[in-house]
Amino acid sequence: MDDAIWSNLPEHVMEKFLAQLPLPTLFRFSLVCKSWNALKYTPVFLELHKKSPSQGPWFLLLRNQDYRETFTFNPMINRWLEMVPASFPLNQMFFPVTAAGGLVCFSSCANGRTTLVVCNPLTKQWRELPQMLKIQTYHMAGMAVDQNTHTYRIIVVGIYGIYDVYYPTTEVYDSATNGWHITGEVPRGPLFPSRRTLLFDGILYAWCCDPPDGLVAYDLQTEAWSQIHAPMRHSLESHTLIECQAQIYTVGGLRENSVTKSICVWELQKSELEWKEVDRMPEILCEEFLCGGRQFICIGSNDLVLLIARGRDRLVLLYDLIKRVWRRLPSCPLTDHNHRYGLIDGISFEPRLDAFV
């Protein structure tokens, strides 16, 4: 580590080296000097960073009292990191609804209207989207990002009312045009209000009712809805849809007599259109986690699922779908105080410096 050698390292070589670093390490390196700190946001560096290996999913948790205290869990380093939230308008409460490609979409409802903002949690850049054309209250949302053009689309299913009669509809926002348009007719039947949608291979999936009677699927190419008649025979709690190795799974609590008794993993059998249980949380761990049937949240991304329970001494778990392993995580700092506020909220996202709002 001769200073005479390293001080003469060509700048473009140093940029390539920094671009390959894990993000927590990169942020520590950026404290070395002003030039390294400014480097993170230059076009040349962001282009190099875009080609670097994926950082994997991070899990962003927020206290649902005001959504202004946030921590993120990084599975690569097995640590919680405090994050300063973006400076959204102070007179509104924004909660996360969907995420993709390094961006997170937040929603707020005031005076009967829904406001959406898109934010990069790393850079703190955000923008408020134009008002939707008709939708007043949303039921579910999904997001798709084109990494080549740095554009994104947000698909929102919701309702609008005319003379106390309410109609479901779908609206799509395109950042390339900065506008909304109304698209494919929503399938008939009750939609299950859920932020736990799944975007996989150009299709947005969501449960269509409660108890789940199958899936609805929105094709981003044709902008048309279809139904997948794959009913879930069980009554579920806090379940989420995830994709792993080109297969669709759901993870959630299994209710018996209105009480969650176990937490299971089901895989969608595409040929039979049936859900097959493929794993279950060990009984002793499940009893400790649920502790008499308390509620929990379940956040999934690719092969990882984070589960965190309500109440004091919250147990935080991470499930690896590939290894079929349940493991304890360090306590979330959000759980160390103000227990009376109960359940916290959260979403998974891919951290990217090159995601533009």
Side-chain angles (χ1 to χ4, degrees), residues 112-239:
R113 298 294 297 183
T114 296
T115 299
L116 298 176
V117 300
V118 173
C119 170
N120 183 329
L122 290 185
T123 65
K124 307 298 182 293
Q125 294 178 331
W126 65 277
R127 65 186 288 195
E128 182 176 329
L129 303 188
Q131 284 290 333
M132 289 181 281
L133 303 176
K134 288 187 176 181
I135 291 176
Q136 298 165 334
T137 303
Y138 93 97
H139 276 184
M140 60 187 185
M143 187 176 189
V145 173
D146 188 325
Q147 300 289 1
N148 295 319
T149 63
H150 295 293
T151 60
Y152 54 88
R153 285 181 287 172
I154 298 176
I155 303 93
V156 179
V157 176
I159 58 173
Y160 67 97
I162 301 178
Y163 302 115
D164 295 328
V165 179
Y166 293 91
Y167 304 91
T169 189
T170 307
E171 294 192 34
V172 177
Y173 172 81
D174 191 334
S175 67
T177 62
N178 192 35
W180 294 89
H181 66 273
I182 297 174
T183 181
E185 182 179 352
V186 182
R188 294 185 178 182
L191 288 172
F192 178 56
S194 173
R195 285 181 275 137
R196 309 301 181 220
T197 56
L198 167 66
L199 181 64
F200 167 52
D201 201 21
I203 306 293
L204 180 69
Y205 296 92
W207 289 109
C208 60
C209 67
D210 187 20
D213 197 24
L215 301 175
V216 287
Y218 179 82
D219 190 314
L220 271 67
Q221 184 68 32
T222 63
E223 296 193 325
W225 285 97
S226 61
Q227 286 186 281
I228 301 174
H229 298 284
M232 174 64 72
R233 296 190 180 96
H234 306 288
S235 182
L236 305 184
E237 171 75 23
S238 303
H239 53 290

